[in-house]
């Protein structure tokens, strides 16, 4: 974990209120699938704290994140230009995606897809069989479909309104993959909860999203209940959990 001030290399609107930001990062070898960063792109204490974002991709000297404008902090981020600087803390997260197993099915819902993209890339580089199901409410929110094409990752698209790909949820694809496929998912809580129920008995890992104030387990703002009645910190005991371990 490092605290850095880095330059913005790119900050582009790629969908409705959805942005791709590329940032300098001098230690890409430290980043593994499932890691995230805490970012602050404004001065002063209003708004307070950093915001958490999954590391969607990494290259020789940079990382990529995707974000939606949902509040004051992300609205300020959307104003950043190339050459501006931001504060980041990372890479964060202790329990990350497992890479063992030969066949991997990735289910990404909406802005949850950036939580899986680096995993898809790393698994493909390891020679694993990878298939991605990527869904969103409508076609213009499938902001990572070009990334999937550019990285030659086999995939299928889903939209709630049928504007692109198959109409409906990515969970519909589960029936087409037998239990030899390890399942990894990131997306809305409702989607992950339904997946837990549908995929009972399978090997399933969930990358959870949560509001975080610190990112390293101190503030206890991102806890999720576990099946044994305890509470787990998404930022510290996660962000990736076996599906049967958490209660959603």
């Amino acid at each position: 974990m490092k605290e850095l001030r880095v330059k913005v290399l790119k900050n582009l609107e790629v969908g409705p209120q959805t942005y791709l930001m590329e940032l300098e990062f001098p230690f890409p070898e430290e980043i593994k699938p499932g890691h995230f960063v805490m970012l602050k792109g404004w001065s002063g204490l209003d708004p307070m704290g950093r915001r958490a974002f999954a590391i969607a991709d990494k290259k020789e000297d940079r990382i990529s994140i995707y974000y939606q404008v949902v509040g004051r902090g992300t609205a300020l981020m959307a104003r950043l230009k190339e050459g501006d600087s931001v504060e980041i803390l990372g890479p964060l997260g202790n329990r990350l995606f497992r890479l063992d197993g030969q066949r991997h099915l990735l289910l990404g819902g909406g802005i949850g897809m950036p939580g899986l993209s680096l995993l898809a890339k790393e698994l493909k580089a390891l020679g694993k069989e990878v298939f991605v199901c990527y869904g969103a409410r409508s076609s213009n929110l499938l902001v990572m479909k070009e990334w999937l094409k550019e990285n030659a990752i086999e995939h299928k698209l889903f939209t709630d309104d049928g504007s692109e790909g198959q109409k409906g949820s990515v969970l519909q694809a589960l029936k087409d993959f037998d239990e030899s496929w390890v399942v990894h998912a990131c997306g809305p809580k409702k989607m992950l909860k339904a997946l837990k129920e549908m995929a009972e008995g399978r090997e399933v890992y969930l990358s959870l999203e949560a509001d975080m104030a610190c990112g390293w387990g101190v503030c206890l703002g991102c806890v999720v209940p576990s099946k044994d009645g305890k509470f787990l910190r998404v930022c510290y005991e996660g962000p990736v959990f076996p599906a049967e371990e958490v209660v959603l």
Side-chain angles (χ1 to χ4, degrees), residues 48-105:
M48 292 187 67
R50 301 179 175 95
R51 302 293 183 268
F53 301 100
I55 299 174
D57 198 3
K58 64 174 183 176
K59 297 180 182 177
E60 293 80 6
D61 61 348
R62 66 189 62 196
I63 59 173
S64 301
I65 64 169
Y66 289 78
Y67 65 97
Q68 289 182 329
V69 176
V70 294
R72 181 164 165 74
T74 45
L76 291 170
M77 286 174 57
R79 300 179 187 176
L80 294 169
K81 307 296 184 186
E82 180 180 343
D84 289 343
S85 64
V86 299
E87 296 175 10
I88 60 171
L89 183 68
L92 296 165
N94 288 311
R95 196 180 331 185
L96 308 176
F97 285 111
R98 295 184 63 179
L99 304 180
D100 49 331
Q102 186 57 36
R103 311 174 88 188
H104 296 263
L105 173 63

Side-chain angles (χ1 to χ4, degrees), residues 109-120:
I111 203 65
M113 186 62 219
L116 298 171
S117 49
L118 184 56
L119 173 65

Side-chain angles (χ1 to χ4, degrees), residues 15-16 18 68 107-114 133-145 156-172 186-188 191:
T18 307
Q68 289 182 329
L107 306 177
I111 203 65
M113 186 62 219
C133 295
Y134 176 26
R137 292 193 304 275
S138 59
S139 177
N140 59 358
L141 293 171
L142 292 169
V143 298
M144 291 201 74
K145 63 185 179 182
K156 183 176 182 178
L157 302 177
F158 293 77
T159 50
D160 292 346
D161 62 6
S163 54
E164 186 166 358
Q166 182 173 328
K167 185 175 182 178
S169 165
V170 295
L171 300 184
Q172 295 173 218
C186 186
M191 168 193 148

Side-chain angles (χ1 to χ4, degrees), residues 95 208 210 212 217 220-247:
R95 196 180 331 185
L208 300 186
M212 299 179 188
L220 306 180
C222 63
V223 295
V224 60
S226 68
K227 65 178 181 179
D228 59 6
K230 297 180 180 179
F231 287 92
L232 302 169
R233 295 162 291 182
V234 172
C235 70
Y236 196 78
E237 278 83 34
V240 179
F241 298 92
E244 71 273 9
E245 184 177 354
V246 292
V247 178

